[in-house]
Amino acid sequence: MNKERFFEEVVAELRNRIADGNLFTVETKEVMKTNDEKLHGVCICLADRTIAPTVYLEDILPDDLNAETVKEVADQVLAISACAYKDAPDIENMSMGYEDIKDKLVVQLVDGDLNRERLKELVYSPVENGFVMIPYIVLKEDMDGSMRAAVTKMMAKEFDYDVDKVMETALLNTVEKCEPSFLSMGSMIGFDDMTRSSNPMKSDFNIDPNAGMYILTNSARFNGASVMFYPEMAKRIGDVLEDNYYALPSSLHEFIILPADGAPDLKDLQDMVKEANRTVVDAKDVLSDRVFFFDRDREKLVEPKVKERNADERGER
């Protein structure tokens, strides 16, 4: 059974179980998610609700696609939907005016080229090197994570948002709520002792200058790649390392930072990022295949080309 047929069978199974269409209906939709990934969504809709939670079948797709797993996936859809209805905020009665949502705004960093179709419907702001920031409204946040909604152009028009103000507020909130964290790889995986702040903007920050590889993220380690574009952050990392450096987009959640002195060849770094994005990183978490270089003299993050590789970029003096 192929994937498309499997999804059809799951929907049919759900509709067979929910016989009373006066109380429940099963609806399907194709949803464009991060990196223009199209997912198959299923909604168990209540007759007295105008908004229903969406369960994405790709997220619960089993290895074996057969009649038995059709029933198992249908069970999961019903269970996830029931929990979502129980725990979801009352979105239908939530005020979405700017004054009501301004404290809930945050940003996510994505690659503009990888999100061309999705960005047609969203509010966003370009940053450097083809990246863009998308504002999200955090509808609910708890220990299990957060429920967020991207600010769409339709929403901005309906609620008369000042788009520039929304973007400014979302970035300020993110900087305030999601503290930057700059760690050696050893600290990240628990090998190195951490006795000082990991926030490079704080006075008690300290890091091993000889670690060779570092992680730039945020305190939540979720959507932490945006930290690279916090005000003065790229420059600060160069000052801490006292070197030019390469920035490898590990995922939406972090950048890997390599001091230029002693770094592998640019082509090797590019191949490493591409390979990881295709074999290790989930498609929804990919940030970019590109590698970036921070030049301390120019105080600028750029995308170097292989042919431009030279001694200066390696930090050789």
Side-chain angles (χ1 to χ4, degrees):
M1 188 183 303
N2 63 33
K3 187 170 71 171
E4 293 296 327
R5 178 61 185 277
F6 183 82
F7 290 159
E8 292 173 359
E9 292 292 324
V10 170
V11 173
E13 174 72 15
L14 289 167
R15 285 176 173 155
N16 286 337
R17 295 189 191 187
I18 302 174
D20 190 351
N22 293 322
L23 295 178
F24 302 95
T25 57
V26 179
E27 297 183 4
T28 63
K29 57 184 178 180
E30 193 174 68
V31 182
M32 186 80 72
K33 302 293 283 185
T34 302
N35 295 327
D36 286 351
E37 183 182 21
K38 293 182 179 179
L39 299 182
H40 294 76
V42 177
C43 301
I44 308 299
C45 305
L46 299 180
D48 61 346
R49 299 280 190 95
T50 59
I51 297 176
T54 302
V55 180
Y56 298 106
L57 295 181
E58 282 84 355
D59 291 344
I60 52 177
L61 188 69
D63 293 330
D64 296 323
L65 307 183
N66 54 53
E68 190 60 35
T69 54
V70 163
K71 296 178 180 179
E72 293 173 1
V73 169
D75 288 339
Q76 291 185 66
V77 171
L78 291 172
I80 294 169
S81 298
C83 289
Y85 271 117
K86 178 182 177 182
D87 299 333
D90 187 7
I91 299 175
E92 293 175 304
N93 296 312
M94 185 178 294
S95 175
M96 300 298 286
Y98 174 76
E99 289 299 321
D100 298 301
I101 59 101
K102 65 180 182 180
D103 293 336
K104 303 174 184 178
L105 290 167
V106 294
V107 296
Q108 179 189 51
L109 183 75
V110 300
D111 188 305
D113 284 341
L114 298 183
N115 291 269
R116 288 182 180 178
E117 290 302 313
R118 187 165 173 255
L119 290 176
K120 291 177 181 178
E121 299 181 355
L122 300 182
V123 169
Y124 66 92
S125 178
V127 288
E128 298 176 39
N129 296 295
F131 288 112
V132 303
M133 285 190 177
I134 300 171
Y136 279 79
I137 303 170
V138 178
L139 302 172
K140 181 183 178 182
E141 197 162 20
D142 54 30
M143 293 182 65
D144 295 324
S146 63
M147 181 180 295
R148 306 175 307 148
V151 179
T152 66
K153 293 176 181 176
M154 186 178 296
M155 288 171 59
K157 183 176 180 180
E158 179 179 354
F159 298 106
D160 195 26
Y161 294 156
D162 180 328
V163 172
D164 291 337
K165 193 171 184 180
V166 165
M167 289 304 316
E168 179 183 4
T169 302
L171 179 57
L172 288 173
N173 287 348
T174 304
V175 172
E176 180 180 342
K177 297 176 181 180
C178 303
E179 183 176 280
S181 183
F182 186 53
L183 304 161
S184 67
M185 183 62 78
S187 296
M188 192 75 172
I189 60 180
F191 289 161
D192 296 343
D193 181 39
M194 287 183 60
T195 58
R196 294 178 178 239
S197 171
S198 63
N199 184 345
M201 295 303 190
K202 290 191 173 180
S203 60
D204 62 343
F205 172 78
N206 188 35
I207 199 165
D208 179 2
N210 300 311
M213 182 178 292
Y214 305 85
I215 300 295
L216 181 64
T217 182
N218 60 25
S219 53
R221 297 181 184 176
F222 179 75
N223 283 335
S226 60
V227 170
M228 176 60 75
F229 297 97
Y230 283 10
E232 298 298 317
M233 183 56 66
K235 179 180 182 301
R236 174 59 178 157
I237 297 304
D239 292 344
V240 167
L241 298 176
E242 297 184 348
D243 195 0
N244 301 329
Y245 62 84
Y246 287 97
L248 283 58
S250 175
S251 71
L252 294 176
H253 310 299
E254 63 190 30
F255 271 90
I256 293 175
I257 304 297
L258 297 175
D261 189 9
D265 288 339
L266 175 59
K267 181 63 166 59
D268 291 338
L269 295 178
Q270 292 172 334
D271 290 344
M272 182 174 72
V273 171
K274 290 177 182 178
E275 177 68 14
N277 283 341
R278 283 149 186 76
T279 61
V280 179
V281 184
D282 287 342
K284 62 181 173 55
D285 290 328
V286 169
L287 176 57
S288 177
D289 282 343
R290 299 174 296 145
V291 171
F292 303 91
F293 180 81
F294 184 79
D295 186 319
R296 293 186 72 201
D297 291 335
R298 290 195 290 165
E299 296 187 359
K300 190 172 182 61
L301 189 70
V302 298
E303 182 184 356
K305 306 300 181 183
V306 173
K307 65 180 181 180
E308 295 174 356
R309 178 73 169 174
N310 55 42
D312 289 338
E313 288 181 349
R314 294 184 60 88
E316 297 171 2
R317 298 169 178 80

